[in-house]
């Protein structure tokens, strides 16, 4: 399906060039056609394994990697309790729709104008829906039929959400500090951020594993007042890379805007806290949301660090998947993978929308995502 | 009066903002710098399983490093570096035309869609994408059967659990992270520069070699950093697709830490891995800088020869 879309797009690119070619391009550009074909081939190469995962989650046979020749949704049924899954999905959809419709209605009827709130109301309502579903213990415990897989997916989400919060707070603060108070500390700090981004993950992973074994008390103990301490370990481990990413995004966002607004606020008598809340925070809100969602997808996917530092009770989905590889992988693992794909693609689409709304071009979005 | 009131206000605004980076600094020192410093420290110790942290530091020495240079480890080292270097070169070769097409040859509205199509697979789960390769590579899978039916190959595909499988999957996994920085670098080149080169009579090849490629240099460097370093430490791909034959340094470190509980040896291998990466990057940088210098020299001769005529 994807290959078809890609093929379609390039074909029309070519036809538009043929008809409305710019003046300085005199003849048919052979190089362009060759490059277009190459680009399509590479995109097909990038998408084929992903399409195979989606296809094989509908495999009727008993193995993930061998196609039985027939499609069936039975493995999706093994993954989810159908009734509970539908009611959970419906709840989230209702919350999101109501949340997105509310601000325009409120604005019309009461004339209430706070762009900051109305802009984030839809996504906020979506999150609220997720929280309501998560708090409903019946859904929360039983929506996944396979206990181990359900636990792994829940742990993945919990770990990723916690690490994202840590990353957004730390990255937001240090991004503001880097953009607004550069000084003697900027260079060493940026070096550290850069090192965190490029150090092979296995190095971080063993280092943290050793460190947490040495200090395996308090929050890192394997069970802390009913909550498994492994989750806290994952928050720490996954937040390092993510906070470096958020730092760079926030810094880039503020770099283009000088400090006159904050200075004006303070001249008008605003306390630093108030100036931060009312001026700086709205300026960086899109960067925080984009960085946060990006961190979330990165953390959700984190394999190497989680593999080293997770405890028995905090197995995440990647760790679970690796343990499954020792025997025949069941197709419902593919179904779970598809669920994660959808979450990731949703998050990425949202990142792109947020960045676009705050005035980025597609190239700038690519730069943000490409670690630039 | 007012003048004396305003500056302290500014000062009040100024002080806490530098402190804003404080939490991150503490966090990074606690959970990045200190743990890694301890790995370096452990690498001089000996194994002692009786302790909570199974390292005995009573007689520090370089014995772990000499063991890490023994034949088995050294073979894995070489194999890993070979896989990573090959994969980096392949991602540049495969990715550069795509980035070039996206930056110069495609219309703005298609560009956004195509960029999204590059980004989406790169950010979907690394592990799942790797596991997905088990489907086409499976010896009794559909692809294998087709290829046998068409007579392309004699027996079933026997790539799973080999280094070739790891090589293919590593190129696949990191391709997007090469294309994106390359695209960003190419996109930042002012079109005017390329136009000027053409107006001055340079052909396509010459414009590409003398204008586009040098200006894309930072992008290539960023792409290499973002792909080569993680590749060297990557053990997921090797574990999922390589089996015992596809062993890479990352997998070795993992087995020393989790399996053998020999932390000192694992630490020494990890430190050597970082050193090897730095040496490889230094070699790469020297080759590039040296090549540029040579090229410039050759061109200078060219010019002085051509000038009188």
């Amino acid at each position: 399906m994807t290959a078809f879309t890609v093929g379609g797009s390039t074909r029309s690119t070519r036809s538009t060039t043929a008809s409305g070619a710019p003046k300085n391009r005199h003849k048919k550009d052979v190089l362009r056609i060759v490059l277009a074909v190459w680009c399509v081939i590479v995109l097909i190469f990038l998408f084929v394994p992903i399409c195979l995962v989606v296809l094989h989650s509908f495999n009727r046979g008993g193995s993930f990697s061998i196609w039985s020749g027939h499609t069936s949704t039975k493995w999706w049924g093994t993954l989810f309790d159908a009734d509970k899954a539908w009611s959970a999905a419906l709840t989230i959809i209702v919350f999101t729709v109501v949340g997105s419709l509310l601000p325009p209605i409120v604005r019309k009827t009461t004339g209430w104008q706070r762009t900051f709130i109305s802009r984030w109301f839809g996504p906020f309502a979506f999150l609220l829906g997720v929280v309501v579903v998560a708090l409903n213990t019946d859904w929360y415990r039983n929506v996944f039929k396979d206990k181990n897989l359900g636990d792994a997916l829940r742990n993945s989400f919990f770990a990723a959400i916690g690490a994202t919060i840590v990353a957004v707070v730390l990255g937001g603060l240090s991004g503001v500090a880097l953009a607004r108070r550069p000084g003697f500390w900027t260079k060493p700090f940026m070096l550290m951020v850069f090192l965190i981004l490029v150090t092979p993950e296995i190095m971080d992973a063993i280092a943290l594993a050793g460190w947490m074994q040495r200090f395996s008390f308090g929050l890192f103990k394997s069970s802390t007042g009913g909550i498994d301490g492994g989750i806290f370990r994952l928050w720490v481990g996954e937040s390092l890379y993510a906070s470096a990413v958020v730092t760079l995004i926030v810094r880039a966002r503020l770099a283009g805007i000088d400090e006159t607004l904050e200075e004006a606020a303070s001249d008008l008598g605003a306390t630093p806290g108030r100036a931060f809340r009312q001026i700086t925070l709205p300026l960086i809100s899109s960067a925080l949301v984009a960085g946060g969602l990006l961190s979330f997808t990165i953390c959700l996917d984190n394999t190497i660090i989680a593999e080293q530092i997770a405890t028995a009770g905090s197995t995440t989905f990647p760790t679970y998947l690796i343990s499954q590889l020792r025997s025949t992988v069941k197709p419902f693992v593919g179904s779970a993978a598809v669920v994660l794909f959808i979450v990731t693609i949703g998050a990425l689409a949202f990142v792109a929308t947020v960045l676009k709304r705050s005035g980025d071009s597609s190239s700038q979005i690519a730069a943000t995502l490409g670690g630039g | 009066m007012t003048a004396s009131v305003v500056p302290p206000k500014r000062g009040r605004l100024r002080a806490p903002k530098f402190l804003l980076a404080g939490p991150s600094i503490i966090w990074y020192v606690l959970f990045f710098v200190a743990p890694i410093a301890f790995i370096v420290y452990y690498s001089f110790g000996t194994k002692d399983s009786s302790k909570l942290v199974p390292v005995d530091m009573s007689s520090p020495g370089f014995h772990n490093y000499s063991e890490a240079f023994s034949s088995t480890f050294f073979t894995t080292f070489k194999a890993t570096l070979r896989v990573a270097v090959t994969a980096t070169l392949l991602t540049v070769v495969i990715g550069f035309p795509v980035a070039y097409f996206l930056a110069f040859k495609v219309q703005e509205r298609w560009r956004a869609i195509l960029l999204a199509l590059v980004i989406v697979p790169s950010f979907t789960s690394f592990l799942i994408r790797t596991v997905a390769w088990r489907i086409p590579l499976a010896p009794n899978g559909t692809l294998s059967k087709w290829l046998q039916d068409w007579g392309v190959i004699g027996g079933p595909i026997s790539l799973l659990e080999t280094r070739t499988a790891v090589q293919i999957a590593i190129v696949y996994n990191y391709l997007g992270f090469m294309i994106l920085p390359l695209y960003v670098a190419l996109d930042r080149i002012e079109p005017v520069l390329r136009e000027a080169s053409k107006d001055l009579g340079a052909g396509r090849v010459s414009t590409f070699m003398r204008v586009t490629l040098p200006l894309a240099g930072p992008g290539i460097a960023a792409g290499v950093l973002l792909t080569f370093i993680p590749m060297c430490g990557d053990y997921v791909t090797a574990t999922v697709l390589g089996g015992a034959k596809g062993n890479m340094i990352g997998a070795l470190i993992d087995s020393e830490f989790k399996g053998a509980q020999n932390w000192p040896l694992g630490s020494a291998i990890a430190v050597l891995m970082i050193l090897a990466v730095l040496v490889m990057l230094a070699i790469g940088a020297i080759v590039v800088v040296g090549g540029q210098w040579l090229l410039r020299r050759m061109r200078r001769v060219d010019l002085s020869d051509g000038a009188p005529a």
Side-chain angles (χ1 to χ4, degrees):
Chain A
M1 215 192 65
T2 329
F4 171 75
T5 344
V6 177
S9 67
T10 16
R11 224 180 300 126
S12 29
T13 315
R14 258 180 267 153
S15 62
T16 36
T17 353
S19 54
K23 279 158 213 153
N24 57 351
R25 207 163 278 142
H26 9 268
K27 52 185 174 186
K28 256 193 192 165
D29 197 337
V30 184
L31 177 69
R32 185 194 184 118
I33 295 171
V34 172
L35 285 174
V37 171
W38 181 250
C39 185
V40 171
I41 293 171
V42 169
L43 284 175
I44 291 173
F45 174 63
L46 283 176
F47 269 95
V48 160
I50 291 176
C51 295
L52 282 175
V53 170
V54 177
L55 178 71
H56 278 236
S57 71
F58 291 102
N59 191 2
R60 192 190 277 176
S63 159
F64 173 67
S65 52
I66 310 296
W67 180 245
S68 68
H70 301 281
T71 54
S72 147
T73 52
K74 72 169 182 182
W75 292 106
W76 282 86
T78 326
L79 176 66
F80 287 118
D81 185 320
D83 294 344
K84 296 206 170 68
W86 282 118
S87 63
L90 204 66
T91 314
I92 294 174
I93 290 169
V94 166
F95 264 92
T96 315
V97 169
V98 170
S100 327
L101 291 180
L102 219 53
I105 296 171
V106 170
R107 221 177 298 150
K108 277 228 177 81
T109 49
T110 65
W112 188 45
Q113 297 279 1
R114 289 198 67 172
T115 45
F116 182 70
I117 290 175
S118 63
R119 188 196 278 181
W120 300 120
F121 215 81
F124 182 72
F126 170 77
L127 280 182
L128 199 67
V130 174
V131 170
V132 166
V133 170
L135 286 181
N136 184 324
T137 47
D138 181 41
W139 286 334
Y140 180 75
R141 296 237 171 276
N142 303 321
V143 75
F144 297 108
K145 275 186 181 164
D146 185 292
K147 193 187 164 294
N148 291 332
L149 179 57
D151 281 347
L153 282 171
R154 272 191 289 269
N155 281 334
S156 272
F157 275 90
F158 258 132
I161 287 170
T164 301
I165 292 171
V166 173
V168 167
V169 171
L170 291 180
L173 290 175
S174 52
V176 170
L178 279 170
R180 290 292 189 247
R181 289 291 171 271
F184 66 97
W185 61 283
T186 321
K187 274 200 177 135
F189 189 80
M190 285 308 286
L191 179 70
M192 189 139 74
V193 168
F194 180 71
L195 282 178
I196 289 173
L197 287 175
V198 299
T199 307
E201 253 186 308
I202 182 74
M203 186 74 180
D204 291 348
I206 56 166
L208 276 174
W211 192 246
M212 285 170 174
Q213 184 148 337
R214 180 171 276 258
F215 297 103
S216 63
F217 46 81
L219 289 179
F220 299 140
K221 215 164 53 180
S222 56
S223 89
T224 310
I227 305 167
D228 192 286
I231 288 289
F232 296 115
R233 291 171 167 230
L234 293 173
W235 288 5
V236 171
E238 293 179 353
S239 70
L240 285 171
Y241 187 92
S243 69
V245 170
V246 178
T247 304
L248 290 184
I249 294 178
V250 171
R251 174 173 169 261
R253 165 74 38 185
L254 274 181
I257 313 163
D258 65 14
E259 214 185 333
T260 40
L261 284 173
E262 280 107 318
E263 274 167 8
S266 100
D267 286 350
L268 291 170
T271 60
R274 186 153 179 222
F276 184 79
R277 250 193 343 270
Q278 296 199 326
I279 310 286
T280 318
L281 207 56
L283 281 178
I284 60 171
S285 64
S286 62
L288 287 181
V289 173
L293 282 165
L294 206 57
S295 311
F296 181 73
T297 59
I298 294 169
C299 294
L300 204 56
D301 180 31
N302 187 304
T303 312
I304 297 179
I305 290 182
E307 175 83 354
Q308 298 292 331
I309 64 177
T311 56
S314 61
T315 314
T316 58
F317 179 71
T319 316
Y320 169 83
L321 183 50
I322 284 191
S323 72
Q324 290 293 303
L325 289 175
R326 291 187 197 116
S327 53
T328 310
V329 184
K330 292 275 184 295
F332 68 77
V333 170
S335 318
V338 173
V339 173
L340 289 182
F341 278 161
I342 294 169
V343 171
T344 310
I345 291 170
L348 283 177
F350 198 72
V351 169
T353 322
V354 166
L355 290 177
K356 198 134 222 170
R357 228 193 251 170
S358 62
D360 276 10
S361 71
S362 53
S363 308
Q364 282 165 314
I365 296 173
T368 307
L369 294 174
Chain B
M1 193 59 191
T2 1
S4 63
V5 173
V6 174
K9 244 186 202 169
R10 286 256 170 94
R12 216 171 42 174
L13 190 68
R14 213 158 274 251
K17 278 202 178 161
F18 162 67
L19 291 179
L20 287 179
S24 306
I25 294 173
I26 294 170
W27 194 261
Y28 294 158
V29 167
L30 261 184
F31 298 118
F32 183 74
V33 179
I36 288 183
F38 264 86
I39 288 294
V40 177
Y41 174 66
Y42 289 153
S43 70
F44 299 107
T46 33
K47 180 185 169 182
D48 179 4
S49 310
S50 61
K51 294 186 191 170
L52 173 68
V53 174
V55 184
D56 176 34
M57 294 305 298
S58 56
S59 56
F62 284 91
H63 49 276
N64 294 309
Y65 287 94
S66 48
E67 192 176 338
F69 268 113
S70 73
S71 62
T72 27
F73 294 124
F74 199 61
T75 334
T76 316
F77 255 101
K78 276 193 299 189
T80 308
L81 288 179
R82 203 180 55 221
V83 167
V85 170
T86 319
T88 309
L89 292 177
L90 278 174
T91 48
V92 174
V93 170
I94 297 171
F96 198 88
V98 178
Y100 187 87
F101 176 72
L102 289 174
F104 299 125
K105 299 282 176 184
V106 85
Q107 286 183 336
E108 179 64 34
R109 61 199 169 115
W110 293 116
R111 182 183 292 164
I113 296 170
L114 291 176
L115 271 176
L117 289 176
V118 173
I119 288 168
V120 164
S122 307
F123 276 85
T124 46
S125 171
F126 188 93
L127 177 64
I128 297 169
R129 279 187 292 146
T130 313
V131 173
W133 274 98
R134 290 176 76 100
I135 297 171
L137 295 180
N140 45 357
T142 317
L143 182 71
S144 179
K145 273 180 203 148
W146 281 355
L147 290 180
Q148 282 176 77
D149 290 348
W150 296 339
V152 181
I153 47 174
I157 298 180
S158 52
L159 283 177
L160 213 55
E161 318 282 298
T162 65
R163 228 161 236 153
T164 319
V166 176
Q167 184 79 67
I168 295 172
I170 283 193
V171 170
Y172 172 76
N173 278 334
Y174 290 94
L175 188 54
F177 295 104
M178 182 62 90
I179 294 178
L180 288 178
L182 284 179
Y183 165 75
V184 171
L186 288 174
D187 190 59
R188 279 184 190 150
I189 297 175
E190 298 279 339
V192 189
L193 292 174
R194 284 159 45 87
E195 299 283 322
S197 163
K198 275 176 198 151
D199 290 348
L200 289 170
R204 268 191 162 156
V205 179
S206 176
T207 302
F208 178 78
M209 293 303 288
R210 294 192 178 191
V211 179
T212 316
L213 201 57
L215 286 172
I220 300 177
V224 168
L225 284 180
L226 282 175
T227 54
F228 178 72
I229 301 179
M231 274 176 196
C232 288
D234 181 14
Y235 83 98
V236 172
T237 317
T239 313
V240 172
L241 295 171
K245 281 182 230 154
N247 244 350
M248 305 224 337
I249 307 176
L252 264 188
I253 299 173
D254 172 58
S255 69
E256 288 302 333
F257 260 77
K258 284 185 90 179
Q261 289 282 314
N262 192 346
W263 288 20
L265 183 56
S267 307
I269 300 173
V271 172
L272 283 177
M273 173 185 77
I274 302 282
L275 290 179
V277 167
L278 291 178
V279 168
M280 291 307 288
L281 288 177
I283 292 175
I286 289 171
V287 167
V288 169
V289 171
Q292 274 174 345
W293 180 78
L294 256 178
L295 221 63
R296 227 174 291 144
R297 264 191 85 92
M298 279 157 63
R299 275 183 198 153
R300 200 174 293 152
V301 174
D302 241 1
L303 250 178
S304 58
D305 276 1

